[in-house]
Amino acid sequence: MNPNGNPAPLAQARRRDSIDKRLRVLTAIECLERDDAPITHTAVARTAGVSTWLTYAEGVREHIHAAQTRQNARPATSRLPGPSTSAGLRTDLELARQEITTLREERDRLRTAMSHHLGQQLDALSSQLLTTRIDELTQHNHQLTAQLQHTTTENTTLHTRVTQLEDDLAAARTSLRRMIRDENLNQ
């Protein structure tokens, strides 16, 4: 109910929704018939995007049954595409095998061509470019080695300094304790 207590707008919205769903069901039946797909309550509900319950409702169920009857009245051969004999199936299987063989050969040719192309691209790189790049990497390596050595030396120096400061701190604490003890004894 809306705030004014009038249920009419809600009922109208429900009616519109119901009509919309029923139209979608009829459209789904037409699509399934046109595509020559099996017409079942579940298939219609899935295609229309509605619940299966609606497909069994009065006024919808009759359309589904009529479409099923029309579909069953058609000759069975019109619903089965392709060959229906075992000889036809064997022929299709052999054609599929030949096509697979052809596709595999084409794939192998393309792989070989791609490998040759990549090889040519690698050969096209100038040895001068490669030499320059190696020199750059060697120089960078030397810089990093020097930086590592400097950092290691600095770390060792700082570690030694920290050890000395800790020793000085321990000595200062010991001295301070003695002074406090001596001062307390004198008083």
Side-chain angles (χ1 to χ4, degrees), residues 91-138:
T91 303
D92 282 350
L93 180 61
E94 185 57 35
L95 289 172
R97 286 181 178 157
Q98 288 174 358
E99 185 177 357
I100 289 170
T101 303
T102 304
L103 290 172
R104 285 181 179 160
E105 290 170 355
E106 182 179 356
R107 177 201 62 199
D108 293 340
R109 273 195 323 274
L110 290 172
R111 274 188 181 167
T112 304
M114 183 60 72
S115 295
H116 288 304
H117 183 68
L118 287 174
Q120 289 173 349
Q121 284 181 339
L122 287 175
D123 290 341
L125 286 177
S126 165
S127 63
Q128 179 64 32
L129 292 174
L130 293 175
T131 304
T132 305
R133 181 68 178 143
I134 289 171
D135 290 341
E136 288 173 1
L137 290 173
T138 304

Side-chain angles (χ1 to χ4, degrees), residues 64-80:
I64 294 175
H65 289 305
Q68 287 172 333
T69 304
R70 286 191 301 271
Q71 193 174 49
N72 290 335
R74 278 190 255 142
T77 56
S78 69
R79 285 184 286 184
L80 297 175

Side-chain angles (χ1 to χ4, degrees), residues 13 24 72 162:
R24 286 190 306 192
N72 290 335
V162 166

Side-chain angles (χ1 to χ4, degrees), residues 148-180:
L148 175 65
Q149 191 173 20
H150 174 71
T151 305
T152 303
T153 304
E154 189 176 337
N155 186 21
T156 304
T157 304
L158 290 174
H159 185 67
T160 304
R161 180 73 178 133
V162 166
T163 304
Q164 288 173 351
L165 290 173
E166 286 175 347
D167 290 345
D168 289 347
L169 180 62
R173 284 181 181 160
T174 304
S175 175
L176 183 61
R177 275 191 219 116
R178 282 185 192 153
M179 284 176 42
I180 292 173

Side-chain angles (χ1 to χ4, degrees), residues 6-71:
N6 186 0
L10 186 59
Q12 288 175 349
R14 284 187 192 145
R15 249 183 260 113
R16 280 194 305 265
D17 188 44
S18 175
I19 290 169
D20 177 55
K21 287 180 180 180
R22 288 172 184 263
L23 288 174
R24 286 190 306 192
V25 167
L26 295 176
T27 305
I29 293 170
E30 291 173 9
C31 289
L32 290 172
E33 269 190 291
R34 183 182 62 238
D35 295 341
D36 206 19
I39 297 175
T40 63
H41 287 272
T42 305
V44 171
R46 189 176 299 128
T47 305
V50 297
S51 70
T52 309
W53 174 86
L54 179 62
T55 63
Y56 286 100
E58 195 171 326
V60 175
R61 176 182 55 229
E62 292 80 12
H63 290 286
I64 294 175
H65 289 305
Q68 287 172 333
T69 304
R70 286 191 301 271
Q71 193 174 49

